[in-house]
Amino acid sequence: FCAFLGQVLQRGASCRDAVRRVQAWHLASGTEVSVDGATGGYCQARGRLPLGIVRAAFERLVQCCDTRTRTQDQWQGRTVKVVDGCGLSMPDTGANRKAFPYAGGQKEGCGFPTGQLVGLFSLDTGHLVKFVVSSWKAHEAPLTRQLVGWVHKGEVLLADRAFSNWGLIGLFQRKGVDVVMRLHQARRTGTGRVCWRKPQRKDRWEKSLWAELPESLELRVVRFRVETPGFRTDRIAVVTTLLDERKYPDSAIAELFRLRWQVEIDFRDIKTTLGLDVLRTQTPAMIEKEIHLQAIAYNLVRLLMLEAACQHHVPPSRLSFKGTVSTLRAFAHL
């Protein structure tokens, strides 16, 4: 487990790098254990590593990060969670192709198996709360329904327009979760208080679950202009269940939606800094373990950042994830 974790903490590290790190550790510790330099034993042990242990480690880390949430880092005194998705690439093996087909338009042998990950992050702490992995063919909105259990009553869910559909909003509102989402481009609606009637049930929604949702949603549409240089969009429309305009004015909604960009930075950290964008294992079972280890590594770094932020009384967003990883690597031998 530790060798696998060390491997994913170093982007592009090979199995040989992982074994060499174990050899160096034993040498520095003065143990009399002799570690063979071949990688076969490590690769076999990594394959036997129970997925249940890896999942349990991830869940325990999430609990540790949850306890580091501070009131001063919350928005309007409320916990905000952000959902978004990203693409994944992996080695072109028969087993991987069966579980994760090529992206559309690619011929066999001319591409790579492609998957997607939909992740739920804490805006307060930056840690990854829960994630779902699927092939690229699955739509992000149905996958998000698997994350509903990790967004709790009284919290706020922040999302882009890919997740802005009637069913998801109704599902979260029924649970007592407020949403702030960018308005889907196909939705034509007014500004301010609006009422959205229940549409016909989609095939991907179970009949019993759809029947439990309300017949209409009382929502609020906020429109604002982005004038910051470098931003791509000038005008943005956001739909929210936060109807109290005195407690949550348009400016507060606009500022919260601006913070949604933080999840793009979180994905950049886990994909670019740690290497989740291009996975390296050869089978779907190992792909799942590798993704979990990447998520564990990411949350471990986040936990270190949270402890530093608490010790020095600064917001966690002030700290650099990449800088933390670089510092961690530099001081590892000590």
Side-chain angles (χ1 to χ4, degrees):
F1 180 91
C2 291
F4 200 175
L5 180 62
Q7 186 178 1
V8 301
L9 273 169
Q10 183 79 39
R11 181 181 174 91
S14 64
C15 292
R16 179 178 296 151
D17 294 330
V19 173
R20 293 290 184 269
R21 195 174 290 110
V22 174
Q23 288 179 313
W25 182 84
H26 277 289
L27 183 63
S29 301
T31 65
E32 297 181 358
V33 176
S34 176
V35 180
D36 190 277
T39 60
Y42 165 63
C43 292
Q44 292 174 30
R46 193 175 66 167
R48 293 193 302 268
L49 180 65
L51 182 59
I53 289 179
V54 178
R55 287 174 174 167
F58 173 75
E59 292 168 2
R60 178 67 182 131
L61 265 178
V62 172
Q63 294 172 7
C64 290
C65 291
D66 285 340
T67 62
R68 302 309 198 273
T69 301
R70 303 180 301 178
T71 304
Q72 59 265 41
D73 298 325
Q74 294 180 327
W75 178 79
Q76 302 273 15
R78 300 180 66 174
T79 296
V80 178
K81 289 178 178 173
V82 194
V83 63
D84 205 2
C86 71
L88 307 170
S89 177
M90 60 201 71
D92 188 17
T93 65
N96 284 345
R97 280 197 303 272
K98 187 174 181 180
F100 303 98
Y102 285 162
Q106 291 184 330
K107 296 181 179 179
E108 187 172 348
C110 299
F112 293 92
T114 304
Q116 66 170 320
L117 181 147
V118 176
L120 182 68
F121 292 82
S122 169
L123 184 65
D124 309 334
T125 61
H127 73 279
L128 180 58
V129 178
K130 188 69 175 176
F131 61 89
V132 180
V133 178
S134 181
S135 76
W136 66 272
K137 295 182 177 182
H139 195 277
E140 291 175 332
L143 293 176
T144 306
R145 286 165 51 193
Q146 301 180 43
L147 304 175
V148 171
W150 283 264
V151 188
H152 306 297
K153 183 178 180 179
E155 296 180 344
V156 179
L157 181 72
L158 188 59
D160 207 358
R161 58 187 170 196
F163 303 88
S164 179
N165 67 71
W166 196 97
L168 269 184
I169 295 175
L171 194 59
F172 281 108
Q173 189 181 54
R174 188 188 67 155
K175 193 176 180 180
V177 174
D178 283 307
V179 303
V180 176
M181 299 177 172
R182 188 172 181 182
L183 188 68
H184 194 277
Q185 65 271 20
R187 171 73 70 168
R188 299 292 179 261
T189 187
T191 303
R193 291 283 191 99
V194 296
C195 179
W196 288 2
R197 298 295 178 185
K198 190 175 187 178
Q200 285 189 324
R201 180 175 63 92
K202 305 295 183 183
D203 292 338
R204 53 179 174 261
W205 284 86
E206 296 86 351
K207 187 175 181 179
S208 58
L209 178 58
W210 190 256
E212 294 176 3
L213 299 181
E215 292 302 315
S216 63
L217 297 176
E218 295 294 328
L219 303 170
R220 172 181 164 205
V221 176
V222 177
R223 301 180 190 273
F224 55 92
R225 182 181 179 87
V226 176
E227 298 179 345
T228 306
F231 276 59
R232 185 173 52 188
T233 305
D234 290 332
R235 291 182 176 83
I236 291 179
V238 171
V239 61
T240 179
T241 56
L242 297 169
L243 303 180
D244 190 340
E245 297 184 24
R246 298 184 65 180
K247 189 175 182 180
Y248 306 105
D250 290 359
S251 58
I253 300 298
E255 174 61 20
L256 177 60
F257 188 77
R258 184 188 70 81
L259 295 176
R260 194 209 68 84
W261 186 255
Q262 182 62 43
V263 75
E264 306 290 351
I265 299 174
D266 294 340
F267 267 126
R268 181 194 65 186
D269 291 335
I270 195 172
K271 290 179 64 178
T272 304
T273 304
L274 296 183
L276 183 70
D277 54 340
V278 181
L279 302 169
R280 308 186 66 180
T281 45
Q282 307 291 314
T283 64
M286 284 303 301
I287 288 292
E288 187 171 4
K289 288 184 194 178
E290 185 178 359
I291 292 174
H292 271 85
L293 261 294
Q294 294 276 8
I296 288 170
Y298 173 81
N299 276 355
L300 278 171
V301 176
R302 281 289 172 190
L303 189 58
L304 184 62
M305 294 168 66
L306 291 172
E307 291 174 352
C310 183
Q311 181 177 343
H312 295 279
H313 309 290
V314 298
S317 57
R318 282 277 308 276
L319 305 180
S320 164
F321 183 91
K322 186 175 182 180
T324 303
V325 173
S326 298
T327 305
L328 182 62
R329 290 169 181 162
F331 284 85
H333 66 286
L334 299 178

